[in-house]
Amino acid sequence: MRVSRLVRQAQNGNKEALLQLIMADQDAYYRLAYTYMGNEHDAMDAMEDMIVTLYEKIDQLQKREAFYSWSKTILVNRCRAMLRKNGKFTPLEDEQDAVAYELMAENPYLGTEAEMDMKTLLSHLNAHQREAIELRYVHDFPYQTIADMTGAPLGTIKSRISQGIEKLKVIIGGDRYESD
């Protein structure tokens, strides 16, 4: 109820209402931006771009209660645009997937669980799988929200997550735990 009221006020030009909406979920925005950008400075730049876009387009939001989903989609799009501009967002192709499989064959993670580094593990996935898994398990977004944010069909998101998890299982020797 409060979100809907603040969105209505923001749509009527109340900058303070928009600021209240953003500040109420600022940590989630930052974590999401940081996941994409990888450093504080770029994450803050992406958030600034998102805020400007929200201010300019708040009148286009039709379902007021969907503000947070809508704004996080804008943030993801801003991050992706900034990464593309800097040449850092390049989805991996099939030949790069083959390199990831070679890395899995070497299986450097057969040591103790303490030696595993999540970032390193996720780096073995292609960009789409890594993005979907991070949005699902780091940011706890529902599948449909991830699909909306990335512009990919729901089935594709579920497939990316499933395939990514299977790759991670191979890397860490996950099948050995299924008998427990």
Side-chain angles (χ1 to χ4, degrees):
M1 180 69 142
R2 178 166 161 71
V3 170
S4 183
R5 184 176 53 81
L6 287 171
V7 170
R8 186 173 9 90
Q9 290 174 355
Q11 288 175 325
N12 290 330
N14 185 336
K15 295 177 189 175
E16 185 62 34
L18 181 61
L19 182 61
Q20 286 179 29
L21 287 164
I22 293 166
M23 295 305 286
D25 211 16
Q26 67 182 348
D27 290 341
Y29 288 123
Y30 178 77
R31 283 191 313 272
L32 181 59
Y34 192 89
T35 296
Y36 276 90
M37 305 310 291
N39 67 65
E40 181 181 351
H41 177 74
D42 291 342
M44 296 302 285
D45 285 347
M47 287 176 61
E48 281 182 29
D49 284 357
M50 176 205 65
I51 292 168
V52 169
T53 303
L54 290 177
Y55 180 74
E56 293 171 346
K57 298 184 183 240
I58 188 77
D59 60 318
Q60 295 176 10
L61 178 62
Q62 295 176 4
K63 293 184 180 180
R64 293 181 180 137
E65 60 280 352
F67 174 80
Y68 288 110
S69 175
W70 176 72
S71 61
K72 288 174 183 170
T73 300
I74 289 173
L75 179 58
V76 166
N77 289 335
R78 294 307 313 141
C79 290
R80 288 173 141 197
M82 289 173 70
L83 289 169
R84 266 192 302 277
K85 182 180 173 187
N86 296 334
K88 294 179 183 174
F89 187 77
T90 52
L92 301 176
E93 300 301 328
D94 292 336
E95 62 191 54
Q96 290 171 316
D97 276 341
V99 171
Y101 282 116
E102 286 176 33
L103 290 170
M104 282 185 253
E106 293 172 17
N107 204 352
Y109 301 106
L110 288 176
T112 65
E113 290 179 3
E115 295 174 27
M116 290 186 214
D117 174 32
M118 189 53 86
K119 284 281 187 197
T120 304
L121 284 171
L122 291 175
S123 73
H124 294 299
L125 303 177
N126 72 42
H128 294 297
Q129 291 167 338
R130 184 173 48 252
E131 175 184 39
I133 286 174
E134 285 183 349
L135 290 173
R136 178 71 182 120
Y137 296 108
V138 175
H139 298 285
D140 202 29
F141 288 124
Y143 292 109
Q144 186 61 55
T145 301
I146 297 168
D148 295 342
M149 288 176 142
T150 61
L154 179 62
T156 301
I157 294 302
K158 289 180 177 181
S159 177
R160 288 174 182 170
I161 290 171
S162 176
Q163 290 171 358
I165 289 172
E166 288 304 313
K167 282 183 186 180
L168 292 173
K169 277 184 175 179
V170 169
I171 291 171
I172 64 173
D175 291 335
R176 69 178 179 218
Y177 297 110
E178 293 197 11
S179 63
D180 292 347

